[in-house]
């Protein structure tokens, strides 16, 4: 939606051949990224490019969520809520790890499960998320009968992979050369510079 012009824009997403999208929200950490759910309950991530083009950036496992879904976003995670499951009648809330988005299968980030946690509860009519700076975000749910409100504090942080070693295999040779230089400097400092002339004079018994 273009708020300035009060118009709606239609996007064509390349390589997306899934079911119709029924819910979509912007990613709280990156406004050009959209988290969406299709009518079968699968969660997708799209990268919006320019004004009318987008591409599929990620798809979470199909069996991790089920339709119908409500979506929300906090830093590092996409939150999904299934208000009432078909068989149990209970609601299910899931936090999906957004650090998987844009990463290849060989990336160490993918070693972490895409589902950070899931919680089952009473059937839910609605929910709301309040993002807070340097504090845990707040999440509130309203029960299906409208008689109960639950408030949660989200105590979680986005996974950050360890920093890469830029020296790599050069670390050991560089360390060895540095040690040789230090030892050489200490030797010269203690013995003084070598003078060939002084050596010959000592050999002839001259001082």
């Amino acid at each position: 939606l273009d708020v300035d012009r009060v118009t709606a824009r239609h996007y064509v997403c390349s390589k997306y051949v899934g079911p119709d999208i029924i819910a979509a929200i912007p990613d709280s950490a990156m406004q050009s990224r959209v988290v969406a759910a299709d009518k079968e309950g699968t969660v997708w991530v799209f990268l919006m490019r320019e004004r009318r083009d987008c591409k599929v950036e990620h798809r979470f496992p199909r069996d991790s969520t089920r339709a119908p879904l409500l979506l929300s976003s906090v830093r590092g995670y996409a939150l999904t809520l299934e208000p009432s499951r078909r068989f149990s009648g209970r609601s299910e809330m899931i936090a999906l790890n957004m650090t998987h988005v844009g990463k290849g299968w060989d990336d160490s980030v993918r070693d972490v499960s895409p589902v950070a946690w899931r919680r089952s509860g009473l059937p839910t009519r609605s929910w709301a998320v309040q993002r807070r700076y340097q504090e845990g975000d707040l999440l509130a749910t309203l029960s299906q009968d409208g008689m109960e409100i639950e408030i949660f504090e989200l105590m979680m942080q986005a996974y950050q992979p360890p920093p890469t070693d830029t020296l790599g295999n050069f670390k050991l040779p560089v360390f060895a050369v540095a040690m040789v230089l230090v030892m050489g400097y200490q030797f010269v400092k203690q013995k003084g510079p070598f003078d060939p002339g002084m050596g010959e004079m000592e050999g002839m018994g001259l001082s």
Side-chain angles (χ1 to χ4, degrees), residues 1-11:
L1 297 176
D2 190 330
V3 178
D4 296 332
R5 299 182 180 180
V6 197
T7 58
R9 294 176 181 172
H10 298 278
Y11 286 84

Side-chain angles (χ1 to χ4, degrees), residues 2-204:
D2 190 330
V3 178
D4 296 332
R5 299 182 180 180
V6 197
T7 58
R9 294 176 181 172
H10 298 278
Y11 286 84
V12 177
C13 294
S14 59
K15 298 183 179 180
Y16 179 71
V17 292
D20 294 339
I21 297 296
I22 59 174
I25 59 168
D27 180 14
S28 60
M30 184 175 176
Q31 292 301 310
S32 61
R33 180 180 287 163
V34 172
V35 181
D38 62 32
K39 65 180 182 180
E40 294 180 358
T42 302
V43 177
W44 301 76
V45 180
F46 299 97
L47 183 63
M48 317 307 290
R49 300 182 298 187
E50 297 179 354
R51 294 189 174 183
R52 296 187 181 276
D53 186 27
C54 70
K55 74 171 184 177
V56 176
E57 196 172 16
H58 189 75
R59 176 181 60 80
F60 286 98
R62 295 183 185 275
D63 57 351
S64 59
T65 51
R66 299 179 182 178
L69 286 179
L70 301 178
L71 300 174
S72 188
S73 174
V74 296
R75 186 172 182 81
Y77 298 90
L79 304 178
T80 70
L81 174 65
E82 186 180 351
S84 180
R85 309 205 75 174
R86 296 178 182 176
F87 299 103
S88 64
R90 296 177 63 82
S91 64
E92 184 168 78
M93 191 183 308
I94 297 176
L96 298 174
N97 198 333
M98 289 292 289
T99 56
H100 281 227
V101 177
K103 303 298 190 300
W105 288 104
D106 57 344
D107 197 299
S108 60
V109 173
R110 299 293 290 269
D111 296 338
V112 180
S113 173
V115 178
W117 52 263
R118 63 177 69 228
R119 180 185 183 279
S120 179
L122 297 175
T124 303
R125 178 189 300 182
S126 183
W127 69 338
V129 175
Q130 174 65 43
R131 288 182 285 273
R132 300 193 295 176
Y133 180 68
Q134 293 185 341
E135 292 184 274
D137 298 322
L138 297 179
L139 187 151
T141 61
L142 176 65
S143 62
Q144 187 65 48
D145 58 10
M147 300 298 292
E148 185 175 344
I149 296 176
E150 289 186 292
I151 300 177
F152 309 91
E153 183 175 6
L154 302 177
M155 306 295 294
M156 55 187 184
Q157 296 180 349
Y159 170 75
Q160 297 293 336
T164 57
D165 190 354
T166 56
L167 292 177
N169 295 329
F170 294 100
K171 182 182 293 184
L172 184 59
V174 170
F175 181 73
V177 171
M179 288 296 297
V180 171
L181 292 175
V182 171
M183 293 176 64
Y185 172 77
Q186 292 294 334
F187 176 80
V188 172
K189 185 177 179 181
Q190 294 178 5
K191 300 296 184 179
F194 176 69
D195 188 348
M198 292 294 294
E200 292 179 0
M201 294 176 65
E202 290 178 359
M204 292 186 296

